Amino acid sequence: MVTAATTAPPSLHLLFSSHRSISRISPNQLCIFDSKAYLSSTTSSYNCKKRYVNGGVRCMAVGAAADAETKKKSGFEIQTLTNWLLKQEQAGVIDAELTIVLSSISMACKQIASLVQRASIANMTGVQGAVNVQGEDQKKLDVISNEVFSNCLRSSGRTGIIASEEEDVPVAVEESYSGNYIVVFDPLDGSSNIDAAVSTGSIFGIYSPNDECLADISDDASLDKEEQRCVVSVCQPGDNLLAAGYCMYSSSIIFVITIGTGVFAFTLDPMYGEFVLTQEKIQIPKAGKIYSFNEGNYQLWDDKLKKYIDDLKDPGPSGKPYSARYIGSLVGDFHRTLLYGGIYGYPRDKKSKNGKLRLLYECAPMSFIVEQAGGKGSDGHKRVLDITPTEIHQRVPLYIGSLEEVEKLEKYLA
């Protein structure tokens, strides 16, 4: 028992800082900190000065200034996606409702990642036997991933409407009790690569409700009033996006997200089962030497685009042409482009007059991400985020990547 404590004035607290046991500390080794001075301080630097007593005791205010001065980042310090979202909420960047929605999406991505990794073992490869609204054969994992995504969003209780590539029309979420966010998503992009274990991913975008959408659905007698309301709410330009992101299922499971304050990447740590922050404020290079187009369709392109591709292959004065890299998975190709620079393109052609990628849940979210990283997303003539969808599964050409590379292509197509 330290008797010196009883002699201190009632307004003072005693702080101990020594490697020796408290029982061996003599009264003159006690460091006294005035709590009134602490409470009255209006700055982040407090009134308690550092001093040493008998060579062993140090007194210092534990404040922001002190932390900044003395704190060193631990080699074991990590920041999870959950912690990061809570910090954004505390800073007022997002609200609690959006935090919950994003957390539910990350949980869906973890589940889908596990399914993708076990696809061959669990007999989830191959075609389901059904065709989606786009006329594409549905893989087994397409259907399962869509159900996983939908269930996670429904159970969050903060989602009002969901729209998926695998659904004919947007669906109102009956379980919602406090939130009305609109979530659009492609649950498993690049699923045609599943059987070959090539990179796949999930893409999502989040909107707030918008009853002023200009979607033309008045003549569609097949939709009831509730479905019409959903379509109207969902058909918004990408410029209205509150958040967007994707999760890539590859050698690592990488979750990339933007909430309008830059682009952040989180990698799933299998040891903890958590997404851990691995890249902050990602910036795409202004230019690059990689192009990603499906040149199997070269003969179906218009002459202006052919001229652009031919010029990329010309070594020119540098003696080195652009490198071609094409995976066939939007998420995989885009992620490489985001990190290394260059351009990804899926143009219109004689067979697909408007291209193949969907505006609402593929082109718009990816364009929002790339613009937050300093790049550009274009349909060849105008900004993708300025296009207002007139239907849920509307397709548009997409050219996305480094700012200088996309602008260079636009000049060719002008």
Side-chain angles (χ1 to χ4, degrees):
M1 184 72 180
V2 182
T3 57
T6 59
T7 62
S11 64
L12 302 181
H13 295 287
L14 305 180
L15 303 182
F16 300 95
S17 176
S18 174
H19 63 278
R20 290 174 287 183
S21 65
I22 294 178
S23 61
R24 297 180 58 189
I25 298 177
S26 59
N28 64 351
Q29 287 179 295
L30 296 178
C31 176
I32 300 177
F33 177 72
D34 189 341
S35 62
K36 288 183 178 179
Y38 168 78
L39 293 172
S40 64
S41 174
T42 57
T43 67
S44 60
S45 179
Y46 304 133
N47 294 332
C48 178
K49 296 181 179 180
K50 305 172 192 174
R51 63 186 179 90
Y52 291 88
V53 182
N54 288 348
V57 180
R58 188 178 186 183
C59 173
M60 187 175 71
V62 184
D67 283 345
E69 183 177 345
T70 63
K71 184 177 179 182
K72 292 183 179 179
K73 187 174 181 179
S74 167
F76 296 97
E77 183 179 348
I78 61 174
Q79 183 170 185
T80 65
L81 175 61
T82 301
N83 290 341
W84 184 82
L85 289 172
L86 290 174
K87 286 184 178 180
Q88 306 310 306
E89 181 188 333
Q90 291 168 358
V93 180
I94 58 178
D95 61 19
E97 308 294 311
L98 187 54
T99 300
I100 294 172
V101 173
L102 289 168
S103 295
S104 69
I105 290 174
S106 73
M107 177 56 69
C109 291
K110 289 180 189 178
Q111 294 183 48
I112 295 171
S114 178
L115 292 169
V116 168
Q117 291 172 337
R118 299 190 70 254
S120 296
I121 300 171
N123 192 30
M124 289 185 289
T125 57
V127 178
Q128 173 77 11
V131 177
N132 66 16
V133 68
Q134 279 83 238
E136 302 165 337
D137 289 330
Q138 288 181 311
K139 295 281 187 176
K140 293 178 182 178
L141 271 178
D142 282 326
V143 178
I144 297 171
S145 299
N146 184 67
E147 187 173 347
V148 168
F149 233 97
S150 298
N151 287 342
C152 284
L153 289 169
R154 290 174 187 273
S155 62
S156 74
R158 267 69 179 180
T159 309
I161 299 172
I162 58 176
S164 166
E165 178 186 9
E166 306 302 328
E167 303 284 354
D168 293 352
V169 294
V171 180
V173 180
E174 297 175 0
E175 290 86 346
S176 179
Y177 58 85
S178 63
N180 54 4
Y181 284 108
I182 297 167
V183 182
V184 297
F185 58 92
D186 181 351
L188 195 59
D189 172 74
S191 58
S192 59
N193 290 320
I194 281 288
D195 296 358
V198 179
S199 299
T200 55
S202 300
I203 308 171
F204 66 89
I206 302 176
Y207 294 89
S208 59
N210 181 13
D211 294 331
E212 298 179 359
C213 181
L214 302 178
D216 184 12
I217 58 172
S218 56
D219 297 331
D220 194 342
S222 64
L223 301 181
D224 60 30
K225 289 185 178 180
E226 183 66 18
E227 289 174 332
Q228 291 185 25
R229 182 184 68 82
C230 291
V231 173
V232 168
S233 296
V234 166
C235 285
Q236 300 186 47
D239 218 27
N240 290 0
L241 279 164
L242 302 176
Y246 61 85
C247 187
M248 184 174 70
Y249 313 117
S250 186
S251 56
S252 296
I253 311 303
I254 301 176
F255 188 88
V256 176
I257 185 174
T258 179
I259 52 175
T261 58
V263 181
F264 298 79
F266 298 79
T267 302
L268 184 63
D269 188 334
M271 182 180 296
Y272 302 116
E274 293 280 357
F275 284 110
V276 175
L277 181 63
T278 48
Q279 290 176 286
E280 300 182 63
K281 300 283 186 178
I282 298 173
Q283 286 291 300
I284 187 172
K286 294 294 183 185
K289 284 293 184 178
I290 298 175
Y291 72 96
S292 185
F293 287 70
N294 182 2
E295 292 189 77
N297 294 324
Y298 180 87
Q299 295 299 331
L300 302 176
W301 295 341
D302 63 41
D303 293 337
K304 292 180 180 179
L305 184 59
K306 288 181 182 178
K307 178 68 167 63
Y308 168 76
I309 294 296
D310 292 341
D311 286 352
L312 293 185
K313 296 177 181 179
D314 184 354
S318 68
K320 187 176 181 181
Y322 278 57
S323 297
R325 299 284 186 273
Y326 187 74
I327 300 172
S329 166
L330 173 58
V331 171
D333 282 313
F334 176 82
H335 188 71
R336 182 197 58 248
T337 304
L338 181 67
L339 298 182
Y340 300 158
I343 185 170
Y344 169 88
Y346 207 117
R348 60 167 52 96
D349 56 40
K350 295 176 182 177
K351 184 173 61 177
S352 304
K353 300 297 183 182
N354 294 313
K356 287 194 70 175
L357 299 179
R358 270 68 56 156
L359 170 62
L360 192 63
Y361 39 80
E362 290 177 324
C363 301
M366 289 306 204
S367 295
F368 184 44
I369 294 168
V370 82
E371 287 197 7
Q372 285 293 313
K376 186 173 184 179
S378 170
D379 70 348
H381 303 283
K382 60 179 177 291
R383 182 171 173 249
V384 168
L385 295 183
D386 289 336
I387 304 173
T388 300
T390 55
E391 57 184 70
I392 300 302
H393 303 291
Q394 179 176 337
R395 301 173 190 262
V396 294
L398 178 66
Y399 305 97
I400 194 168
S402 298
L403 180 64
E404 293 180 8
E405 300 301 330
V406 176
E407 289 181 344
K408 175 181 176 182
L409 176 135
E410 287 179 326
K411 291 177 182 177
Y412 274 81
L413 299 183

